Amino acid sequence: MSFTLTGSLPHRLSFQFQVPLVTIPKSSCNSIKVMTMATSINNDGDTSNPRKNIPHVLTVAGSDSGAGAGIQADLKACGALGVYCSTVITAVTAQNTIGVQGVHPVPESFVYEQLTSVLSDMQVDVVKTGMLPSIGVVKLLCQSLKEFPVQALVVDPVMISTSGDILADPSILIAFREELLPMADIVTPNLKEASALLGGMQLETIADMCSAAKSIHKLGPRCVLVKGGDLPAPVDAIDIFFDGEHCHELRASRIKTHNTHGTGCTLASCIAAELAKGSLMLPAVQVAKHFVETALDYSKDIEIGSGPQGPFDHFSKLRRSIYNSSVRRGFDPNDLLLYAITDSGMNKKWTRSITDAVKAAIEGGATIVQLREKDADTREFVELAKSCVEICRAHGVPLLINDRVDVALACNADGVHVGQSDMSPRIVRALLGSEKIIGVSCKTPEQALQAWADGADYIGCGGVFPTSTKANNITIGLSGLKTVCSASKLPVVAIGGINNGNARSVMEIGTPNLRGVAVVSALFDREFVSSETRKLHSVLMDVVSNK
Ligand SMILES: Nc1ncnc2c1ncn2[C@@H]1O[C@H](COP(=O)(O)OP(=O)(O)OP(=O)(O)O)[C@@H](O)[C@H]1O
Ligand SMILES: Cc1ncc(CO)c(N)n1
Ligand SMILES: [Mg+2]
């Protein structure tokens, strides 16, 4: 259940929640915790300057010495999402990338002491649970939650590590079913755990996951997420979310990596972190899933330890300072597929306005548009850019501005593309903020790595072939493109002399991060922009769908 608080209540994080939207989860139905958060007042009673309580997650979980999972993953996930995380440690494990070598449970009375210390003093918004080694610990936790109600309870029913080691006594199932799940706002079993909760039910297909989610829901949690990390390898990473009414299939691409240790702990902590920020449940799960997918992608090649399942890096994306928002999904590299760059000279020659040219390119299937204006007055450029933003927004196509950060800000474009001699992407990022898209033109592997380090989202690489648009430009050919793509940590769009005839040869160079082609003349130095765009689009779709 959710409702909207309106009126003049000072909000604890007013910069984050323009429209205060607060979930009232089941576990807090009888409490006034949410109200106290929303109306936090200075000690001196001054409501005009509310205390800035940072959103707070308490994790009740085990320590993983290898720091990929458990308490360590929870701390990193919350840190990456800008949420404070306190910790009640239930067990200390000796664990690495090979497996679990030892488990040392913390005495139950001392788990309780930690719970009381934190909950009696700090304003915890959300409790997330991980490894709970014994029934006694579950009972003490439930008792503490009744004594100190919180906004939401996220239960990751950890039982067996991916390496196959037992992390909780099997008798724990009874305590989960009877005590903890009925209090939970969401429970996040993986396939094995879902099966165990349901007395050994076979789980192999998406349909099985849906019916498992429904059956687990009957045990009392408000929502259920059955995680499909362990589905067979070629299948996407599909999770099933059930909110008591609908089953949602949440899909992410399956990252090819061994570094998946701690995905479950991270996912649950990210959900908790987003709930603590005030998010509703489904968006919280979506952000969490996107976080895991992105972190896995950025860490797919890192090597920590010699075992079969390594940890991943929670902060790669944060370093690129994109994770400031709780709901926006940010830049989608798929948008690079057919990248149209306008040229006022060419469009003048064919007697059409830039806005008509942009409309036609979008009609033909352009997936992103860049406005490149070398000669226009600034005022004229801003007006043009505003019109183009409107057209692009109406079609869900991002609009970037070439070089001019000021124009991008003035028209609220989706981002900026800069060259090597334009403003540094690092400064552009500082000026535009974390939400906007930044692209950088690169010819060499060094430039590509620098663009990544500077916080860019993609690189444009070329000129691949000679082109009339840039007369003195050095061409790097398909081999140069391949070299840069292989070195780049960012998605790449190829540029320079690309057209219907050679686009296939470009897209087939065999590097997965080459995501599309950028074109000027092939679209705009033609009489019929939309049909030219359509032809190129069908070539690209053909290549992509046969990959
Ligand atoms: N290779 C992958 N690529 C993308 N997403 C993945 C991958 N592996 C797992 N995930 C996602 O990570 C999340 C956690 O799922 P998973 O089934 O791995 O949990 P888990 O087994 O509890 O994890 P762990 O025990 O390792 O902490 C899910 O959203 C799942 O879809
Ligand atoms: C401490 C701990 N908690 C949870 C998991 C599950 O990933 C693990 N391997 N170790
Ligand atoms: Mg797993």
Side-chain angles (χ1 to χ4, degrees), residues 14 201 219 241 247 262 367 383 406 509:
S14 49
M201 169 183 174
L219 300 174
F241 175 75
C247 252
T367 52
E383 289 313 310
D406 55 348
I509 61 167

Side-chain angles (χ1 to χ4, degrees), residues 8 70 79 121 256 274 331 346 363 370 460 525:
S8 57
D121 174 45
K256 277 201 194 113
E274 290 303 309
F331 171 62
M346 279 173 206
E363 201 183 294
Q370 183 196 129
D525 202 8

Side-chain angles (χ1 to χ4, degrees), residues 447-463:
Q447 289 174 349
L449 288 175
Q450 189 61 49
W452 172 76
D454 285 345
D457 294 295
Y458 75 91
I459 62 164
C461 181

